């Protein structure tokens, strides 16, 4: 049922993604123009991830103790405030590279809190059988917002001053924050117990909970590989376009959109794919992803490359959205925040570890072979997923997410 809560979540997700994509393109452009040194851009990206990796689990503890709606609003509010600070520095002509890096760290940190709080909030708002649909449609909203923001920002930067672009970004986040504020919500009463006396005990309890619920290990591993593929393959796309396809920046932009198109298709079809493939959904998703990676390894055709990237976006989005749904449904309400935070920590760690390795392979053995090397973990996880599909606990969780009318088909 699509009520006002649903539309506020979708609008907020779309606008925050639109603003994030525009913000990143704009600040990367500004930073390079200021410094003429790509090292600063790399430093900005790397430093942006650092606070989240350190703080994600602490955020999970906070989300499990506090009002989840308030935390989504507060986190978006801090992101908006950081954008306003950046805009003021730009209009006052006092902007420095270190300011951009600092603001980016603030944005990334509170974006991590927002994602953790939002996922726990959505899981608390809706019934189990609605979670896959809501998560997949939220994912589609994020992908649509990213696609619009990516397409819009390039054109705006050629027409308007960067301060106008940043003003537009501030407005998108401000409206997204208001949308979350308007959601009517009565928080669940969280009963305290001996394991929730301090932050340290809460963190320890998080790991104990995962160890007691062994299905979590498999779900986290599957999502780790999905995240590794989507981010490292996106990061190498400019190199692939230039050095392997010998294409222009226009082709790069078109191929960049292919990932978003695949993600949008995946978001729209995720629920029906889950209903049809049930516990074999992760194996199917990795199979689709492996076809895309194989095409990237072997082809020099632009159309084939577009199809390959679309398939990678499709397969990895199914993996991430649907396994995220499974994890949240399998999780007890008191651990929603911590499990979402643990997933984010592992996923961000995947990028931190995988990107340098894939970069080295691309530099020494060709960027197409870097894509080919991703086939190793993907095919391994496809085989594991087929075994995982036979596990009764996993079957039971999937069954609880599928309406009775669909499970009989």
């Amino acid at each position: 049922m699509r009520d006002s809560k649903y539309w506020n979540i979708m609008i907020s997700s779309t606008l925050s993604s639109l603003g994030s994509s525009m913000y990143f393109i704009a600040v990367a452009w500004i930073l390079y123009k200021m410094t003429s040194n790509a090292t600063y851009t790399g430093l900005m990206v790397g430093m942006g991830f650092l606070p989240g990796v350190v703080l994600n689990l602490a955020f999970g503890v906070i989300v499990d103790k506090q009002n989840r709606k308030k935390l989504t609003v507060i986190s978006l509010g801090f992101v908006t405030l950081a954008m306003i600070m950046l805009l003021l520095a730009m209009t006052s002509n006092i902007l420095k590279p270190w300011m951009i890096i600092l603001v980016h760290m603030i944005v990334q940190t509170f974006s991590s809190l927002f994602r953790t709080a939002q996922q726990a909030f959505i899981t608390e708002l809706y019934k189990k059988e609605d979670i896959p649909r809501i998560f997949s449609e939220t994912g589609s909203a994020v992908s649509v917002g990213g696609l619009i923001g990516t397409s819009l920002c390039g054109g705006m930067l050629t027409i308007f001053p960067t301060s106008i672009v940043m003003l537009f970004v501030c407005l998108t986040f401000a409206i997204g924050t208001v949308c979350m504020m308007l959601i009517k919500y009565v928080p669940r009463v969280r009963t305290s117990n001996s394991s929730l006396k301090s932050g340290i005990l809460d963190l320890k309890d998080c790991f104990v909970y995962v160890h007691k619920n062994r299905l979590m290990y498999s779900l986290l591993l599957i999502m780790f590989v999905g995240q590794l593929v989507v981010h490292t393959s996106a990061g190498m796309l400019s190199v692939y376009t230039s050095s392997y396809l010998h294409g222009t920046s226009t082709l790069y932009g078109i191929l960049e959109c292919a990932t978003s198109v695949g993600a949008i298709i995946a978001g729209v079809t995720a629920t029906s794919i889950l209903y049809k493939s049930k516990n074999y959904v992760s194996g199917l998703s990795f199979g689709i992803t492996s076809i895309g990676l194989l095409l990237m390894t072997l082809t020099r055709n632009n159309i084939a490359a577009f199809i390959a990237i679309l398939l990678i976006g499709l397969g990895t989005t199914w993996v991430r959205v649907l396994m995220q749904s499974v994890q949240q449904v399998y999780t007890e309400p008191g651990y929603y925040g911590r499990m979402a935070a643990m997933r984010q920590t592992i996923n961000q760690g995947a990028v931190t570890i995988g990107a340098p390795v894939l970069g080295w392979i691309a530099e020494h053995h060709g960027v197409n072979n870097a894509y080919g090397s991703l086939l190793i973990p993907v095919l391994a996880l496809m085989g594991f997923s087929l075994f995982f599909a036979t596990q009764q606990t996993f079957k039971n969780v999937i069954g609880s997410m599928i309406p009775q009318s669909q499970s009989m088909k």
Side-chain angles (χ1 to χ4, degrees):
M1 181 176 175
R2 290 169 172 80
D3 52 13
S4 61
K5 297 193 298 289
Y6 171 89
W7 290 114
N8 282 331
I9 290 170
M10 292 301 133
I11 293 169
S12 179
S13 298
T14 303
L15 290 176
S16 61
S17 177
L18 189 156
S20 293
S21 60
M22 291 187 68
Y23 153 78
F24 186 78
I25 291 171
V27 296
W29 177 264
I30 294 166
L31 187 60
Y32 187 73
K33 285 291 184 181
M34 288 176 67
T35 63
S36 299
N37 189 338
T39 303
Y40 280 94
T41 305
L43 184 62
M44 181 186 74
V45 174
M47 293 293 287
F49 273 113
L50 185 60
V53 172
V54 174
L55 295 173
N56 273 337
L57 290 177
F59 286 158
V61 172
I62 295 169
V63 168
D64 284 335
K65 284 185 170 182
Q66 303 299 326
N67 183 308
R68 288 158 180 168
K69 174 191 167 181
K70 285 184 179 178
L71 289 172
T72 60
V73 173
I74 289 169
S75 55
L76 275 180
F78 270 99
V79 172
T80 306
L81 183 60
M83 300 291 183
I84 293 172
M85 290 168 53
L86 186 62
L87 176 61
L88 290 174
M90 291 170 61
T91 54
S92 302
N93 294 318
I94 60 171
L95 187 64
K96 305 292 183 185
W98 67 265
M99 293 180 184
I100 294 176
I101 293 172
L102 178 60
V103 167
H104 189 64
M105 291 175 70
I106 295 170
V107 169
Q108 289 290 80
T109 300
F110 283 98
S111 293
S112 292
L113 175 58
F114 169 71
R115 285 189 291 269
T116 299
Q118 188 197 43
Q119 289 164 13
F121 182 42
I122 290 173
T123 309
E124 188 174 332
L125 279 177
Y126 290 94
K127 297 177 181 178
K128 285 185 177 182
E129 58 266 28
D130 293 328
I131 295 299
R133 176 179 61 82
I134 299 298
F135 272 20
S136 62
E137 290 176 1
T138 302
S140 291
V142 169
S143 298
V144 169
L147 182 60
I148 295 171
T150 301
S151 305
L152 193 60
C153 190
M156 288 185 69
L157 284 171
T158 61
I159 300 171
F160 302 108
T162 51
S163 57
I164 298 297
V165 176
M166 284 306 304
L167 176 61
F168 186 83
V169 169
C170 291
L171 289 173
T172 62
F173 275 102
I175 296 170
T177 304
V178 171
C179 287
M180 292 303 296
M181 291 174 65
L182 292 175
I183 295 175
K184 294 180 180 179
Y185 164 67
V186 178
R188 292 179 183 176
V189 177
R190 292 170 175 76
T191 57
S192 60
N193 56 60
S194 60
S195 65
L196 297 175
K197 289 182 177 179
S198 70
I200 295 175
L201 287 177
D202 289 337
L203 290 176
K204 179 182 176 182
D205 193 38
C206 174
F207 291 100
V208 171
Y209 181 78
V210 171
H211 191 64
K212 285 182 178 178
N213 298 273
R214 301 297 181 88
L215 180 67
M216 288 292 181
Y217 286 123
S218 299
L219 293 172
L220 290 170
L221 176 63
I222 288 170
M223 287 184 285
F224 173 92
V225 173
Q227 199 78 7
L228 172 68
V229 173
V230 72
H231 281 292
T232 53
S233 60
M236 291 185 295
L237 188 56
S238 59
V239 180
Y240 182 86
T241 305
S242 177
S243 66
Y244 188 68
L245 297 179
H246 304 295
T248 64
S249 59
T250 301
L251 177 63
Y252 170 55
I254 293 171
L255 295 180
E256 188 73 55
C257 290
T259 303
S260 296
V261 172
I264 292 167
I265 294 171
V268 172
T269 60
T271 305
S272 61
I273 289 296
L274 176 65
Y275 292 167
K276 287 180 172 62
S277 57
K278 298 182 173 64
N279 40 308
Y280 289 95
V281 66
S282 58
L284 171 65
S285 302
F286 280 124
I288 296 293
T289 303
S290 66
I291 294 172
L293 289 171
L294 185 62
L295 282 172
M296 294 289 284
T297 307
L298 300 178
T299 187
R300 286 185 183 272
N301 181 275
N302 295 345
I303 296 174
F306 183 92
I307 294 170
I309 295 165
L310 187 149
L311 290 176
I312 292 171
L314 181 67
T316 54
T317 302
W318 277 342
V319 166
R320 292 180 297 128
V321 168
L322 293 175
M323 291 303 102
Q324 171 182 301
S325 302
V326 172
Q327 187 203 28
Q328 289 296 98
V329 167
Y330 181 58
T331 301
E332 295 174 20
Y335 293 86
Y336 284 160
R338 276 168 287 178
M339 290 302 99
M342 179 168 283
R343 179 174 65 247
Q344 281 204 73
T345 301
I346 291 172
N347 290 348
Q348 290 177 5
V351 181
T352 305
I353 295 168
V357 174
L358 270 292
W360 182 87
I361 294 172
E363 181 67 26
H364 292 87
H365 302 284
V367 67
N368 62 314
N369 290 318
Y371 280 96
S373 66
L374 287 171
L375 279 167
I376 298 172
V378 168
L379 291 175
L381 263 292
M382 185 173 71
F384 173 77
S385 295
L386 295 176
F387 163 76
F388 185 50
T390 65
Q391 302 303 298
Q392 191 59 48
T393 305
F394 183 57
K395 288 182 178 180
N396 292 341
V397 178
I398 292 291
S400 72
M401 296 167 64
I402 300 176
Q404 198 67 29
S405 60
Q406 294 289 335
S407 62
M408 299 298 291
K409 292 182 180 180

